[in-house]
Amino acid sequence: MLEAALSALAMTGATTIVAAMATDAWQNTRAGTHRMFRRAGATEAEGAALLILLDADAELVDGAAADEDAGAVRADLAPSWNRRLTALLRDHPEAATDLRELLASVSGVGNSTSWVQNVRVSGHGHAYPVQGGNIVIHHTGPAAEPEAPAQTPADGEREGRSS
């Protein structure tokens, strides 16, 4: 149960970090992310590398904003930040407090990015929605066709004959 909660927190953190890139909330988010990793034990060199990575990713989003593809770039970046945050929380569960504080400080500050997903399924269809991540479905065999209801001839009717 705790692992699922940390996984959800990591995904929320990842989407929040990339959503803040190229917005008014970016500098606060960048500093909070750096502080969180440093408090969890990242060395000064690792912290500097993290800042370079954050800035490079923000530049990608900023460059895409001019082309109106920033949402796609953010969607591409979210899984890598999810992996980083998942590893951080796995190795340093106490960092969850810092991540929650970061999320609270960033919430609603200049963030104009919204994520909407509409999924419609009908008939015997299946939906596996995911945002900012990956989903892999492995089928173990051919899909079973639904059985048609057995049709029985009406009383008195047999093989095209009537009484």
Side-chain angles (χ1 to χ4, degrees):
M1 184 64 131
L2 181 60
E3 187 175 308
L6 291 179
S7 179
L9 180 60
M11 179 53 79
T12 301
T15 56
T16 300
I17 289 169
V18 299
M21 292 176 178
T23 70
D24 294 340
W26 177 237
Q27 290 305 316
N28 181 43
T29 305
R30 177 185 182 270
T33 303
H34 178 255
R35 184 173 41 256
M36 177 179 54
F37 276 86
R38 289 284 289 154
R39 287 181 61 172
T43 65
E44 191 170 327
E46 291 168 335
L50 177 74
L51 288 174
I52 291 169
L53 182 60
L54 284 164
D55 291 340
D57 286 354
E59 284 294 321
L60 287 173
V61 173
D62 193 39
D67 299 333
E68 298 184 11
D69 286 333
V73 172
R74 285 183 173 101
D76 289 343
L77 293 172
S80 61
W81 282 102
N82 182 45
R83 283 190 298 278
R84 288 181 189 99
L85 292 173
T86 298
L88 176 73
L89 294 174
R90 181 188 61 237
D91 297 341
H92 302 280
E94 69 279 3
T97 301
D98 290 334
L99 182 52
R100 286 186 188 97
E101 288 174 6
L102 174 64
L103 295 174
S105 73
V106 173
S107 176
V109 180
N111 188 349
S112 62
T113 299
S114 63
W115 299 59
V116 176
Q117 184 170 20
N118 297 307
V119 179
R120 182 177 298 191
V121 178
S122 63
H124 296 286
H126 300 276
Y128 306 99
V130 65
Q131 274 188 338
N134 296 319
I135 188 167
V136 178
I137 307 295
H138 295 280
H139 292 283
T140 58
E145 291 293 323
E147 291 185 26
Q151 294 187 7
T152 58
D155 289 343
E157 292 184 40
R158 301 251 184 242
E159 298 177 14
R161 289 180 270 154
S162 61
S163 45

